[in-house]
Amino acid sequence: MSMILKMEWGGEYSFDSSNLDCLLNVLPGELEFQQILSDLDEKIKKNSSSIEKCLKDLQSDVNEICTDEVLQSTTDCIQWLNNCSFSSLRPSSADHGELLEFLKTLQRLLKNEKNQEEMVLHFLLDLSSQCGVSFPCTASGTSFELTSSLHTIQDDSALDVKSLWDDVRLHLRQFLVNRLQSQEEANTNALQQQMEFKTECIEKLLFLYPKSEVLMKYQNMQNKLVSDLLQNCILSSCGETNFDKVVHGYQSSIPRLCRMIKEDLYILSGTIGPSSSLKFINETYLDTITEEMTVLLERLCELQFKENALHTVKANKISKKHRGTVHAVASQEYHRKGRNFCLTLYQLKCLSQLTKLFLLMEEKIEELSTEILLLPSFMERNKNVQGVLKRASGELLIGETRANETSVLPEQLLQVEEPVLLNFGWRNAFKDLSSSVAHCITIAIEDFSSKILQHEKKEEFSAAGCAMSLVNNQQMRESCRAVQQEEQPKRIAKFCSDIMEELDTLLPLALACRDDSLQEIRSNFLEACSKVATAVLARLQEKSKGVPLKAPLQDLYAALSTAIYVFQHFTMYSSLMGETSKKPLFLVPVQQYQEFIDILQFQVTNYCVRVCATNILQDAESHYWDDCKAFYEGERCSFSVQMWHYFCCALHHDLWTILPPKTAQEILTEVLERSLDILSSRYCQVCPSYKRTLQIRIDIAAILMSTEDMLWSICSSVQKFLNPHKDRDLKICKIHSHCNSLISVLAILTSPLKNLYETFLDNSDEHLPQDFSEVFYHPLDWLLCIPSSCFFLLKTPSAREMATQGLLKLLLSQPYCNLNLLLETLLHCDCLLVKILLRSSRNEALNCDEQSSLLEQENNKLKNNNTLIEAIFTVLSYCTLSPKSLAIAFESYMEKELLWNCLYNMTVSSFGESEPEVIRCLKLTLINSVKGVVKQIISLMHSWEARENYGTYQHKQIVPESLLKTVPKEWNYTPREMKRKESGKCFTRLAAQAVSIVISKLPTVIACLPPPIKYFFFLAERRMSRNFAELKKAGLLVWNLIVIICRIFEDGNTAEFLTGATLDRWSKEKLSLVRVCLESIVGKQKSGPKQVTQKIIQSIEQQRPNWIESQLLKARRLSIDCASVTVKGATLEEGSIALGFTEHNINMMVLDICHKPGGSEYLRQIYHIIRLNEEYLKEQLLCENFSEDGVTSSQCLPLTLKDREEQLDFNPFQVYRQSCAKVFNQSAITEWNWDWSSLLPGYLGLNQMAFRVLLTHRWEMKEDADLEDEEEVMVEHLKNVYLTQRTPISEDKEEQLP
């Protein structure tokens, strides 16, 4: 394409022929979409016009040079480019004598002087591009000619020219090949530089030799490199049956091989078509790896067979003569059966690890080919696609045929080439091992599983009565990550964990068996796993039957958790192996485990409820309601209620420690609901004496307080807590119903008679409905009736809101890190919790600086502090549906740290310097947003350098005068140094184009920034002082983006680090001039603009008057309008974040955060810090109602991300202390001042039958009640109104009520 490189970039199209990189990092809003689509549309139109003009210029140049061909249209030009062989563009008509002298001079120069190869190559390329001379690149040893005559006789001079040219290009080829080989051996450069270097060498080789020969030589070189790499890493270190050395060797070599494949795919993608590239990869890498692997496994098989045969001979203990006979027979049997021998479990594990490495390599190569060659993935290729027939290279069949033939027959259109696909036949290397592996894998699985089960039984007998041995399941294995965290078991039986760990290790052997020859391995693995699953299930069933006679209740939880773990594992196995299987796998074991899990969960729930009903809640002493003596003088609740509370706490602890979070919440919810049903039913039937009435009140209050404490744990969302739905949360609704029934018993049965009389007097007909369906209570009514801590955690129930303290308690009560609840807590109430964390981390940094004298301690604290700030900043910047959260959370922090001014002097080249973490995070966000623009400008510089300086001589090498004198005069060659002076004036166009690209990209870059970042700068701009008034013209965000681009252009090292490109002095100088132009545009230059700068900007203004100013205003309007739209589009309180985030909104943001780099890790990091500082944060939240500035604490905020040691055993004394202090403070309950005037009116709507039953249960309604005169009057009146004043008709209706 030297003709295109030779053209000058002129006209309007030169400013706009840029790529369509939109930098989409977030889901844009409506305004951003409009800007991006308009920008795309504009770029497409201008690129099409630019391409059209380039083709017209090329057409005119071709018509001028090649008089034998006249191109009528741009379509003919494209076809000419497809068919053109550039060796025939301009055949040389130079005199043979001059040509001979020129080549002899080249030959002498290369042989007699050192290090001239690079200069000669550039010189020849310069001759070809400038003069149109086509040096022959025929295959080695073939004849060629440099004349234009078709009938030239091969004379001696022509042969001399041929031999001279062959000698010159052979010398140059050796030089290039040596450079390629030395570069491969060193392998010190970055991947991008390595690919650029190799691409340059390949292009120069293609200049000298035909493509087929170059590719063949390069393929041989790479093939040898792969073989040497594998042999050096593996075969040389492989000893007698050392399978582990084989695995370690491939572990070290496969990453290198993948890097080499990636390099060659990039290099070949610009040289040959996708099918040819894949063929090259298949033959060079994949086939070579397969061959080397086959040789290696054959060697290992031979050694292993000999070792097995030797062991067999020794075991037989027979005579020496007979041993020789046996050995001969064994050898014959070895060859006859295909090398059947025994493999140990360790050797099977090594083979499995080796298989896993190849599976990962296969997947990696597939991804690389899809990414680099833009080929469809493996799954997409298997689909039937209808439409236009295409070849593997992506070219239209009709277009290719027209390029090669003048006429096309209809039947030829139907002939489609078979596409070349990746063919990694590494599985063929395992064929000789397949029968042995298939046989031994069954034996190995049965052997280790039976040993583990036997060992577990021995431990059980030796430690009778002890609980099952459990192990933590802290992190699911890589293959099990598909299981959600809320469904992952926390602790499982150790014997099951050991068995599944071994199966996981052998799993790759079954996953790799796609060929029919290896299916025996998979079938045996499936059969063995099914037997293991059955044996483990039988053992779990046996363990569960021993509860509670032979084993503690914890074994039931452990069996349930282990069964869930095995069920998930085999479901995952079925999913992984089901991709290549048409029928479901492990159908029977999975179904058996599902049934066992359901039965066991029912058994756990039923057992706990039965224990409550028949043991714990059976308390004759406490429930002697007719006793005329007060129960412990009315200062404590019943023993049964207290023991029920302890039982629930113990159950909560065990479930939270062992079971999956979701299952644990389900069981605790059902146990709580059914036990409350029993309690509600019993207390509704109680008829206490006067002395025992206070005990009823204390019991019910204690039950409700304990239930309220448990309610935070069983509700997984705010909506489920505040407004449970009967269809989705039936158990929660029933719990509220039972609690409302208990509070009604407390109100009607234990309230003072006078308050009851005054509330219900003469209200029977007006307020008491005839049917239960007419009564409706809000589920949370009972919570507002008890003066517990919940009163401070909830806002008005009708508002369906929860205070930040309540959200924090709900979050930390969950059995796992609930990311949705975490994000909702962080965003709640203008990010109140985030502000406390930031303020506390600031206080901690100050305190630690005062107390610490060691530099290492200070650095560690600063690192932890920065980690917290980075995590908070990143998470909030990802919250696109809450754009104000980032700015509001950091506003006070920025104010106290005096960081606003840092936004007006942002630098780039301070990576090693100490700087505020917030500023660093902002800077990195802006740098990432402009990285695409920087890459485009550097690419533009390289293309201009390739055109303007094509043939420049590196290392200050200059073409010798003796060589220049021998250049044939017919070529009209002008030395490069002279031409460079003439072409310097063209740089104005280059700089103008670079500046235009930056300015044109600004609106799109801003449109694609996360909304929280835009609003942060919008808020910062409002706080900007008058000293920075000049920034307001373009806006603070636009100004910072341009300044960052300028700083990147100013620091060449930063530009190279961000883009991976290599910049020479020429490129750095030109980038520096572009920087000066950009600084002049935004008015950052302290001195006036230079003449060159003015000239560049004027050239842009001449092309497009006022275009720069309009682009800057468009970018500023996008940043301001986006901020204002996000504010207007939400329901706001004054100066606050938008309210009313639905579960769907929160879930969408969490999914978006988890799909961003480091999102889920940052969320979990914040959660751990919150959990470590639970008490401190609760204290600070309580103090927030007074004064934010007044909240100070001398306590250093722990930021270390170490997990607290979880208490695995239940400690009742600790629960007792916590209950007495917070949940179950009985002395405080007895002193509660019940507001009966507010409580009783809420029960005027109580059903008649329920009210009358409860009324009759009051001690005053008994016949022998000792009442005062006033009390007798009130009791008599109540009896007449509610109990005796009924007509026969009403009595009949009452009997019909349910």
Side-chain angles (χ1 to χ4, degrees), residues 41 48 75 95 101 105 110 253 281 477 552 796 853 976 1205:
D41 186 57
S48 62
T75 304
D95 180 70
E101 182 64 24
T105 306
L110 291 172
S253 60
I281 297 299
R477 298 183 179 90
T796 308
S853 58
R976 173 59 61 179
E1205 295 183 2

Side-chain angles (χ1 to χ4, degrees), residues 165-230:
W165 173 243
D166 278 346
D167 187 55
V168 168
R169 64 176 183 166
L170 178 61
H171 188 102
L172 296 175
R173 186 183 76 179
Q174 291 175 348
F175 166 75
L176 292 172
V177 171
N178 288 337
R179 290 190 67 186
L180 281 172
Q181 291 177 341
S182 61
Q183 186 73 11
E184 285 288 357
E185 292 174 0
N187 195 24
T188 56
N189 292 339
L191 180 61
Q192 184 69 25
Q193 296 176 351
Q194 179 93 348
M195 290 188 295
E196 290 176 359
F197 173 81
K198 294 180 70 174
T199 303
E200 182 183 356
C201 291
I202 295 296
E203 289 176 349
K204 290 175 181 177
L205 285 171
L206 290 173
F207 174 75
L208 301 173
Y209 289 93
K211 182 185 295 184
S212 58
E213 185 172 351
V214 172
L215 292 177
M216 183 181 66
K217 297 291 184 184
Y218 181 66
Q219 182 176 357
N220 292 336
M221 186 182 73
Q222 294 294 93
N223 201 338
K224 185 177 183 304
L225 186 64
V226 172
S227 298
D228 293 343
L229 175 64
L230 293 176

Side-chain angles (χ1 to χ4, degrees), residues 202-399:
I202 295 296
E203 289 176 349
K204 290 175 181 177
L205 285 171
L206 290 173
F207 174 75
L208 301 173
Y209 289 93
K211 182 185 295 184
S212 58
E213 185 172 351
V214 172
L215 292 177
M216 183 181 66
K217 297 291 184 184
Y218 181 66
Q219 182 176 357
N220 292 336
M221 186 182 73
Q222 294 294 93
N223 201 338
K224 185 177 183 304
L225 186 64
V226 172
S227 298
D228 293 343
L229 175 64
L230 293 176
Q231 291 173 7
N232 292 335
C233 292
I234 300 165
L235 293 182
S236 61
S237 63
C238 178
E240 296 291 323
T241 64
N242 279 330
F243 284 82
D244 53 344
K245 291 185 178 180
V246 177
V247 175
H248 294 155
Y250 273 98
Q251 282 177 340
S252 61
S253 60
I254 283 180
R256 174 82 183 277
L257 291 171
C258 289
R259 174 189 167 115
M260 293 169 60
I261 291 173
K262 183 176 182 179
E263 291 176 1
D264 283 346
L265 282 174
Y266 271 112
I267 294 169
L268 298 173
S269 62
T271 306
I272 56 179
S275 289
S276 301
S277 300
L278 294 181
K279 183 180 179 182
F280 180 92
I281 297 299
N282 286 337
E283 296 175 353
T284 308
Y285 291 95
L286 306 186
D287 293 348
T288 305
I289 295 172
T290 303
E291 292 173 4
E292 296 292 340
M293 187 65 194
T294 302
V295 173
L296 173 64
L297 290 180
E298 285 179 354
R299 178 183 173 185
L300 290 177
C301 291
E302 187 77 27
L303 294 172
Q304 184 63 30
F305 176 77
K306 291 180 180 179
E307 183 177 342
N308 290 157
L310 182 62
H311 289 169
T312 304
V313 169
K314 290 182 178 180
N316 290 333
K317 295 182 179 180
I318 55 179
S319 64
K320 182 178 180 181
K321 180 179 178 181
H322 189 56
R323 283 203 301 269
T325 306
V326 171
H327 182 72
V329 173
S331 300
Q332 295 175 3
E333 187 72 12
Y334 158 66
H335 291 289
R336 185 175 64 84
K337 290 189 176 182
R339 303 180 183 182
N340 287 329
F341 48 83
C342 294
L343 293 169
T344 64
L345 177 61
Y346 176 74
Q347 292 169 341
L348 287 174
K349 288 181 180 180
C350 291
L351 289 175
S352 182
Q353 293 178 24
L354 191 62
T355 304
K356 184 178 180 179
L357 288 174
F358 281 114
L359 286 173
L360 294 175
M361 183 180 182
E362 191 175 51
E363 183 181 356
K364 180 66 176 177
I365 297 173
E366 179 76 23
E367 292 176 357
L368 289 174
S369 64
T370 304
E371 174 188 352
I372 300 172
L373 303 180
L374 300 179
L375 294 173
S377 63
F378 179 78
M379 296 302 295
E380 292 174 349
R381 288 202 300 262
N382 291 338
K383 298 178 181 178
N384 294 323
V385 181
Q386 297 179 355
V388 181
L389 295 176
K390 293 188 178 182
R391 292 186 182 270
S393 61
E395 298 174 352
L396 287 175
L397 181 65
I398 298 176

